[in-house]
Amino acid sequence: MECLWLDAVRTHKPITKEAAHHLKERKLIEGKAPRYNIALSVAKKVQQVGKYTKETGLNRNTMKKLVLQLASNAGSDGFKRADAFEIMEHILPANMTNTQKLSNVSNMLRAMHADGFLIKSESGKSWFITDLGRVELES
């Protein structure tokens, strides 16, 4: 039965709460309903690490470095949220909608602003790297 459930997860078909609980307990799947993914350990065994990475997206620190590099490249012109979305839309989890991806990018920019890595222009439409952001980028 597990094989059928795992195949359903792999092909993005719905599974029951009981099936999800069982597979999560055995550490065969990750994520939250209804967007489960096969676990990394399973992906390695079936040689699907590339697909796993595409499905789950890159980790937050990697995406943060990418945004800092964008900000550094933009220099005194700054960058817009659309620029950040353009570079991140294909590295966010494949099972997210474009609206969810845009929201994720917005949340990341706000978090990086709160952490002191980015500042906004007076109009609020452009983002710039801070000295702290440059230090973080180089680390």
Side-chain angles (χ1 to χ4, degrees):
M1 201 62 166
E2 283 179 353
C3 287
L4 293 174
W5 292 336
L6 280 171
D7 188 56
V9 169
R10 185 185 61 79
T11 56
H12 304 291
K13 294 192 172 112
I15 59 173
T16 65
K17 286 182 183 179
E18 294 78 19
H21 178 73
H22 176 81
L23 293 173
K24 276 190 150 203
E25 209 170 59
R26 304 228 23 233
K27 298 186 190 294
L28 298 173
I29 63 171
E30 304 170 340
K32 296 180 181 178
R35 293 185 168 90
Y36 296 110
N37 293 304
I38 61 170
L40 178 57
S41 60
V42 174
K44 285 180 179 179
K45 287 179 183 169
V46 296
Q47 299 175 346
Q48 300 245 335
V49 177
K51 184 173 180 178
Y52 169 85
T53 303
K54 181 180 178 187
E55 294 290 328
T56 58
L58 296 179
N59 73 40
R60 199 98 171 136
N61 283 336
T62 302
M63 290 190 287
K64 182 169 75 172
K65 292 275 189 177
L66 192 57
V67 171
L68 289 173
Q69 186 64 57
L70 169 66
S72 178
N73 291 349
S76 62
D77 293 334
F79 70 93
K80 307 240 184 292
R81 181 181 69 165
D83 298 322
F85 180 76
E86 183 179 341
I87 64 168
M88 293 176 61
E89 73 176 308
H90 299 294
I91 61 172
L92 287 166
N95 60 7
M96 285 179 138
T97 65
N98 271 353
T99 302
Q100 290 171 322
K101 289 178 180 183
L102 193 56
S103 178
N104 190 293
V105 169
S106 296
N107 291 341
M108 176 173 278
L109 293 174
R110 280 193 296 273
M112 292 176 72
H113 179 263
D115 292 342
F117 298 129
L118 296 174
I119 56 171
K120 280 177 141 181
S121 65
E122 287 183 24
S123 69
K125 296 194 184 255
S126 295
W127 296 88
F128 302 89
I129 193 167
T130 63
D131 290 338
L132 183 59
R134 283 188 187 82
V135 169
E136 179 69 15
L137 181 58
E138 298 302 318
S139 67

